[in-house]
Structures are given as structure tokens and as C-alpha cells.
Amino acid sequence: MNECQPTDYDSRVKRAIRFIEKKLDQPLSLKEVAVAAAISPHHFHRMFVDAVGMTVWRYIQGRRFKRACYQLAFHHDKSVTEVALDAQYSTPEAFSKAFKKAFGVSPTQFRRNPDFLFLSGSISTYKQRNQTMEVDIVNFKRTAIAVKEHNGPVDRLHETLQQFVAWRKASGPSPMVSRTFNIYYDDPELVAANNFRMDIGAELRATLKPNDFGIVKKAIPDLMCAVFRHHGSWDRLGSAMRQFYSGWLPESEYAAGDFPMFVHRINLHPQVAEADLLTDIYLPVKGPSAQQY
């Protein structure tokens, strides 16, 4: 087994992360993860701690807890016992004890009143270097969408998302046949918390029926857009969007258009591992005729 060189440091860590994410519901050992990264366990462990800031085991436990939080909040068809088994705990009692020690509330309490604010501080994500910007210029076709508007702090976004998910499950179009969009009117790092605005939406292919979830009809118009595909965790989506806007745009031949930046979530967590999430980021632009970069 060859030891890694500095040039493939990131690729080895990302390979390990991807392996972990795909195996969260299975028993995992340091040796298995090291083999997936193609490096000896001794050297791999030091490399992983340097990149991620914690041991492999703590990272695995954190990722399992994060997935469990999403399951508890948005998948009420899963019992706490099923969530515990998915997280590799032998009993719901052991899972509940570990969960409460980590977050201060039991899984049942979290399900009743989910609060994701702690995730940013309690569960780390591998902070990979900025992605290479491979940007296309496309003509986005007008798309009717049904949206739940969010106005206020980011740490309350889960409440808006719960209403949107509840509507989608009750009467809305399934993510399997209807694209999922988010429209970002503001950057949460640049506006006061109470002024942050964002729409969570689904492609609308039929008449929007009256509902009790606050879902309204809007549209993304015909637009010329620069589009960049983001790979991986949504935790890094904000930095990717800022890199797109402040890095790529000033060096391009284009100017920002008159519609907010928006994203198309191609797949969703926890249906797929975070490492395999794909999100197309659309930046409306104006300038030269469409061309490919």
C-alpha cells in the first residue's frame, strides 16, 4: 500500500469521507476507512485528524447524529428505535443516552421541537479547499414553483422547511418528479438575522391548491445564468456561492442579473449521503451571448 504524497492529501481524505458517508448505517473500523483511503491506519489517522480536527470515530459518531437529527425532524415514519439502529446503537436507550449527552435533549424531545442551531458547533464537516469553478452559461427556462417563504434568522429555517415538507407530503409534488429549488434573496452573513429572506420551493406542474401550510405560487423567469455544480455537504453551500459571486463573476465578461441567486437541489439528504449531494448553483447574469466556459 503506497503512502500518500502531499499532492493527493485532499483526495485521500475525501475518499475516506465518502466511504464513511456511504457506510453510516453499518459497523465501521479505522482499518476499513484507512483501506478505503489507500493508506496505512497509523498514517491515515494522523492525516484525518489534521484535516478534520477530530478522530475518525468522533467524526463517524457526529455524522450519524446529524443524520439522526434529520430523520427525527423530517421522517416521522421512522421510529426512534429505527433511527437508533441506523446510527449503530444496539438499543434505543443507549442511543437516547448518547444523544442527550451530546445535545442536552432526548431524541423524542428533539423530534417534538427540532432545533438545528447546535449542529454547526457540535458536528464538524470536513472543510475542503475551494472547489474548482467549472462554470457553464445556460438559458434557464421559466419555471412555475410553489414556495414556502422564510423571513428571519437562519437558525429558524428548519421550521419553514418542516412546513414545506409537510405540504409536499400531504399534497405537493414528490421530489422524485418535481425539482427542488431555493431562492436566496440575501446572504445571511451580510444582513441582520431578522432580515434574511429565502424561498424553499418545488417545481409546480399543476394548479396550486389552497393549503394551510402558507405555500404560495411564484416563478423563476426566463434567465441567462452562470451555473456551477456544487458537490457535497450543504454546510459548504454558502461559501461556494460566495466564491462564485466574488471570485468567478468579477473575472468573467458578465455582470450580475436582476434576479436573485438560486439553487436546484438535484438530490436530497438523508436519501443520499452528504458526500454525494449535488446542487446546481445558478447566478443570473447579463452580458455577452451564451457561451461555455
Side-chain angles (χ1 to χ4, degrees), residues 67 107 114 128 132 150 159 163 177 179 202 215 222 231 233 269:
R67 187 179 63 167
Q128 69 181 50
T132 301
H150 176 80
E159 297 171 1
Q163 289 292 303
V177 297
R179 291 177 292 173
I215 305 297
D222 290 324
H231 296 257
S233 173
H269 179 67

Side-chain angles (χ1 to χ4, degrees), residues 6-293:
T7 53
D8 63 0
Y9 178 96
D10 274 354
S11 66
R12 299 298 177 104
V13 174
K14 285 189 282 189
R15 192 185 305 175
I17 294 293
R18 186 167 287 106
F19 178 79
I20 290 170
E21 295 287 350
K22 290 182 177 180
K23 303 285 186 178
L24 284 177
D25 57 355
Q26 301 175 30
L28 279 169
S29 68
L30 173 64
K31 183 177 180 180
E32 287 178 294
V33 181
V35 168
I39 188 171
S40 68
H42 173 69
H43 294 290
F44 167 73
H45 195 251
R46 289 189 297 175
M47 180 185 73
F48 190 92
V49 171
D50 178 61
V52 182
M54 63 176 61
T55 65
V56 175
W57 168 242
R58 281 193 60 203
Y59 181 85
I60 292 171
Q61 185 184 49
R63 302 313 290 172
R64 284 172 174 162
F65 273 144
K66 184 173 184 180
R67 187 179 63 167
C69 289
Y70 279 92
Q71 290 174 330
L72 290 167
F74 302 115
H75 295 268
H76 288 188
D77 55 318
K78 269 187 174 288
S79 67
V80 172
T81 298
E82 289 175 305
V83 174
L85 293 175
D86 281 350
Q88 289 298 292
Y89 283 85
S90 57
T91 66
E93 291 78 18
F95 172 68
S96 182
K97 182 178 180 180
F99 192 95
K100 190 168 185 177
K101 182 179 180 181
F103 306 126
V105 296
S106 70
T108 301
Q109 289 171 321
F110 181 84
R111 169 162 275 177
R112 290 175 185 155
N113 185 30
D115 186 347
F116 288 88
L117 182 60
F118 61 79
L119 286 178
S120 60
S122 302
I123 301 177
S124 293
T125 300
Y126 170 52
K127 304 297 191 297
Q128 69 181 50
R129 296 182 177 91
N130 285 341
Q131 300 178 60
T132 301
M133 296 253 96
E134 296 183 3
V135 177
D136 290 333
I137 304 299
V138 302
N139 291 313
F140 184 90
K141 299 298 183 183
R142 185 184 187 281
T143 301
I145 55 174
V147 309
K148 177 67 178 179
E149 298 174 325
H150 176 80
N151 296 277
V154 172
D155 58 291
R156 300 262 66 92
L157 188 58
H158 66 276
E159 297 171 1
T160 305
L161 180 58
Q162 281 185 305
Q163 289 292 303
F164 175 76
V165 170
W167 165 77
R168 209 169 197 179
K169 287 182 176 180
S171 58
S174 164
M176 300 297 293
V177 297
S178 170
R179 291 177 292 173
T180 301
F181 292 98
N182 295 157
I183 302 175
Y184 293 84
Y185 298 96
D186 304 292
D187 184 331
E189 292 195 4
L190 300 178
V191 298
N194 289 333
N195 293 335
F196 175 65
R197 298 168 301 147
M198 171 182 166
D199 288 343
I200 303 173
E203 183 178 16
L204 194 58
R205 299 186 177 185
T207 302
L208 177 63
K209 298 177 181 178
N211 63 87
D212 297 323
F213 300 96
I215 305 297
V216 299
K217 182 178 179 180
K218 293 188 179 182
I220 302 175
D222 290 324
L223 293 166
M224 181 167 69
C225 294
V227 59
F228 159 61
R229 177 157 293 180
H230 171 74
H231 296 257
S233 173
W234 294 334
D235 292 343
R236 299 191 300 271
L237 193 58
S239 62
M241 294 172 73
R242 284 185 285 275
Q243 180 190 356
F244 197 4
Y245 190 84
S246 62
W248 177 84
L249 184 61
E251 300 297 325
S252 74
E253 303 176 78
Y254 297 87
D258 297 324
F259 192 83
M261 190 178 286
F262 61 97
V263 304
H264 168 209
R265 297 191 185 274
I266 297 171
N267 51 20
L268 301 173
H269 179 67
Q271 283 77 17
V272 300
E274 281 197 301
D276 293 328
L277 287 170
L278 299 174
T279 308
D280 281 346
I281 303 174
Y282 286 86
L283 173 59
V285 294
K286 51 190 177 184
S289 59
Q291 56 181 288
Q292 189 176 54
Y293 276 71

